[in-house]
Amino acid sequence: MHGGPATAVVRGPAGESVVLLSGELPEVLTEEAVTELLDLAAAILDADELELFDTCLRTLRTDGLRAGRRIEVDGAVLTVYEG
């Protein structure tokens, strides 16, 4: 979450957006972390995707960030994996 060297936003094999983060999942998704992720995601996501990602992140911030967490917003699915 701290913008380490292994953090990236890429497209998966099916064209889906994938956010790769270095380090452990944080206990709390801070406003600063959300802003960093949105800035990073802006490099690859279009405006509509970025707005959905922002909504998903804010939902995760409210409901908690943990491995296996899955949310859906307007048909977009965000799943948190840890590995």
Side-chain angles (χ1 to χ4, degrees), residues 2-46:
H2 303 292
T7 303
V9 178
V10 297
R11 294 274 182 196
E16 74 279 12
S17 300
V18 178
V19 180
L20 306 173
L21 306 172
S22 60
E24 299 290 321
L25 286 174
E27 291 280 328
V28 176
L29 191 58
T30 65
E31 185 64 30
E32 180 182 359
V34 169
T35 300
E36 287 178 23
L37 285 173
L38 289 172
D39 288 347
L40 182 66
I44 194 168
L45 302 180
D46 66 28

Side-chain angles (χ1 to χ4, degrees), residues 26-72:
E27 291 280 328
V28 176
L29 191 58
T30 65
E31 185 64 30
E32 180 182 359
V34 169
T35 300
E36 287 178 23
L37 285 173
L38 289 172
D39 288 347
L40 182 66
I44 194 168
L45 302 180
D46 66 28
D48 291 335
E49 290 173 322
L50 194 59
E51 186 176 332
L52 278 173
F53 187 52
D54 181 31
T55 302
C56 288
L57 287 176
R58 296 193 186 284
T59 300
L60 283 175
R61 185 168 183 215
T62 301
D63 296 344
L65 181 64
R66 63 189 178 280
R69 181 79 171 102
R70 181 183 186 277
I71 60 170
E72 184 174 341

